[in-house]
Amino acid sequence: MSLTYSRSRGILYTIVVFLVACSMRLVYLQIIAGPTLAAEGQSIRTHSSEVAAKRGSITDATGVVLADSILTYDIAVNQVNIRAYVHEDDNGDEVGRGPAEAARQLAPLLGMDEAELGGRLLGDSTYVYLKRNVDAVTYRQIRALDIHGIEWEAVYQRSYPNGNVAAPIIGTVNAEGQGSSGLESRFDELLTGRPGEEAFETAPNGAIMPGGKRTTVEPVNGGSLQTTIHADLQHQIQDMLDARVSRHQAEWGTVVIEDISTGQILVMADSNSVPPDNAKPQTVAGVQYAFEPGSVGKLATIAAGLDFGTITPTSVFDVPYSLDYADAGGPITDYHEHGTEALTATGILAESSNTGTVLIGETLSDAQRRDMMERMGFGAGTGIELAGESPGLVGEQWQGRDHYVTMFGQAYMVTALQEVSMLAAIGNGGVRLSPHLVKSWTNADGTVEAPEADEPVQVMGASTAAQLLSMMESVVEDKNGTGATAKVEGYRLGVKTGTADIVVNGQEGIVSTTAGIIPADAPRLAISVVLYNPKVDVISSDSSAPLFGDVARTAVNNLGIPASSTPAELYPSKPQ
């Protein structure tokens, strides 16, 4: 065997071994390790992002949408890819190229300055936001331009189609899509839903590969919330309230209307409400602001007297203009000067006599009066579905002058919601129901739930409530009653007016409030009206009482509540 033959044979064996090794390596790479390597390569090229879930809607009691989420788009740019953009016309002729041409086309659609936009298209980033929350029409116009390097994301934007209607109650959503106030915050978990996930592949230059996006986890949209508010009525009341606040130059005002038989809040209107804006959170005055109720607080004193049996509606008192107790720190007087006159308890309420109410209050112990106020819910939150509710202030002890003035609504504080809850209890046969703003909610899975009702509180006996309501009718019907300006033609009303002296920033001020029940013969609505520190026509008979009449008239018309069918049978205001 020659040396040449042996060498050729060796070379052949080497080539065969090399080819076998290559084949084995190829089999390993393509068959054995291929799927793993492909997956690793794809994982390097694949990125993921959240797919937003639609935030659930908030509606009024009839289904009118108060808050919803609309589909919008965030527009972005790949600054690297847009350098290669070429704009051609229908004939294939070049019109322009690069960031400058893209800025010229996009600026009118995005409502941006062309030079500023062009500057944002320059750089080395593969993803820069140009404008967020672009509407669907504009998005489609941008898509039609087919600009290489322009990207987009579908997102949801919160909208409030009824503007400022019930806006403080609805609340706000922050930039991260989380509820930040009002019902949006209180029911954030229900409304938010659960985001999905979207995966997409990118090329080495960072561009999203065509057809590379796919949803890997479907989003679950948020549930919806139905309130007890009646949007149309709420809108009308807000307008009336704003007009009165302006007319009387008050600092603020609020109106709350409660359905007596259910505890549902039909209206909770605050003056000067604006559409929801996360940068400008709004307080809910009817829940978060406490004030001295003034003579409306006389209802608590008279209710206690009736319920503990120390008076009747026709109990007679000799009522002077002024009372001077040694521990009162000065005389207690009525609003109008008068001689001593004989009035029944009904007459005292109708004329809103401070001194007469003190005489009634002196038939009771402080413990009895406090007990009635606590049963009415004073000094404690109602449990309404809003954050920041004020419990008001009743005080631990009433000493000196406070012992007397608490009898007619001063030296303690309530909210408009607590006040209307007291009135609703009187109209509901002495039974107080917890007021609420939420009618029901629909979970993400479609199931519907309603809030569990709290246990009713027996504030006073049914006969006490009936007597007190009848006495309140004299406030409107008696010739000396303080609530004549609250009258609603065709309807019997049980009303109490209140004008409380306060100090605001070192200056004397007023709280004007009127609260009542309509119709008195078949109670449906309890209404509280508050004007805080009016400067013009300040007493309640000139300010909050006329507003009460307008509110009550509008409410019964809007809700279709029938007029009264029988006349009022009033207790005498003076001894017979």
Side-chain angles (χ1 to χ4, degrees), residues 7-62:
R7 184 176 298 161
S8 298
R9 191 172 174 182
I11 293 171
L12 178 62
Y13 286 156
T14 300
I15 292 172
V16 169
V17 170
F18 176 76
L19 291 174
V20 169
C22 288
S23 297
M24 293 177 65
R25 181 63 177 171
L26 187 63
V27 168
Y28 173 78
L29 291 174
Q30 291 188 340
I31 298 176
I32 300 175
T36 300
L37 294 173
E40 289 176 354
Q42 187 178 42
S43 68
I44 294 173
R45 300 190 307 273
T46 300
H47 303 270
S48 63
S49 62
E50 277 193 356
V51 178
K54 181 178 181 181
R55 188 174 180 85
S57 63
I58 301 175
T59 68
D60 84 337
T62 65

Side-chain angles (χ1 to χ4, degrees), residues 447-459:
T447 57
V448 179
E449 296 183 67
E452 293 185 8
D454 293 335
E455 284 295 319
V457 176
Q458 190 73 46
V459 174

Side-chain angles (χ1 to χ4, degrees), residues 18 33 62 68 168 207 251 262 267 286 335 340 357 409 463 495 498 526 559 571:
F18 176 76
T62 65
D68 203 1
E251 292 187 22
T262 65
V267 168
Y335 187 77
T340 299
T357 305
S463 61
V495 166
L559 300 171
Y571 293 112

Side-chain angles (χ1 to χ4, degrees), residues 55 58 169-173 178-191 385-387:
R55 188 174 180 85
I58 301 175
I169 299 168
I170 297 167
T172 52
V173 175
Q178 301 169 328
S180 52
S181 67
L183 294 174
E184 292 274 29
S185 175
R186 173 66 176 77
F187 291 89
D188 185 58
E189 185 176 354
L190 167 75
L191 297 167
E385 302 96 332
L386 291 170

Side-chain angles (χ1 to χ4, degrees), residues 353-370:
S353 170
N354 293 339
T355 56
T357 305
V358 169
L359 295 177
I360 292 174
E362 288 292 81
T363 69
L364 297 156
S365 67
D366 282 356
Q368 288 173 318
R369 290 196 297 117
R370 185 183 297 277

Side-chain angles (χ1 to χ4, degrees), residues 183-378:
L183 294 174
E184 292 274 29
S185 175
R186 173 66 176 77
F187 291 89
D188 185 58
E189 185 176 354
L190 167 75
L191 297 167
T192 298
R194 188 171 65 250
E197 188 174 89
E198 184 178 61
F200 54 91
E201 292 184 54
T202 57
N205 64 3
I208 297 175
M209 296 177 65
K213 281 191 176 183
R214 64 188 186 281
T215 299
T216 56
V217 178
E218 291 291 338
V220 178
N221 292 334
S224 60
L225 185 71
Q226 184 173 32
T227 70
T228 60
I229 296 296
H230 284 242
D232 181 56
L233 181 58
Q234 173 88 19
H235 175 66
Q236 295 178 69
I237 301 305
Q238 284 185 204
D239 285 350
M240 290 179 187
L241 178 60
D242 283 342
R244 277 285 172 178
V245 166
S246 176
R247 175 176 172 177
H248 298 284
Q249 299 178 24
E251 292 187 22
W252 55 266
T254 188
V255 175
V256 183
I257 302 179
E258 180 177 339
D259 185 304
I260 287 173
S261 64
T262 65
Q264 292 183 358
I265 301 301
L266 309 183
V267 168
M268 186 174 281
D270 288 342
S271 61
N272 303 315
S273 296
V274 298
D277 181 352
N278 186 59
K280 299 176 182 177
Q282 301 177 77
T283 55
V284 183
V287 170
Q288 295 174 313
Y289 289 171
F291 56 91
E292 293 186 352
S295 293
V296 174
K298 292 171 182 173
L299 294 174
T301 300
I302 293 175
L306 293 171
D307 211 52
F308 285 106
T310 64
I311 65 166
T312 70
T314 56
S315 295
V316 178
F317 296 85
D318 290 324
V319 180
Y321 164 68
S322 176
L323 292 171
D324 197 359
Y325 294 103
D327 59 345
I332 294 169
T333 64
D334 277 340
Y335 187 77
H336 296 290
E337 191 168 348
H338 60 82
T340 299
E341 55 183 339
L343 294 175
T344 64
T346 299
I348 289 171
L349 184 66
E351 296 187 20
S352 199
S353 170
N354 293 339
T355 56
T357 305
V358 169
L359 295 177
I360 292 174
E362 288 292 81
T363 69
L364 297 156
S365 67
D366 282 356
Q368 288 173 318
R369 290 196 297 117
R370 185 183 297 277
D371 178 54
M372 176 57 68
M373 293 167 73
E374 289 176 350
R375 279 186 269 163
M376 286 177 166
F378 295 175

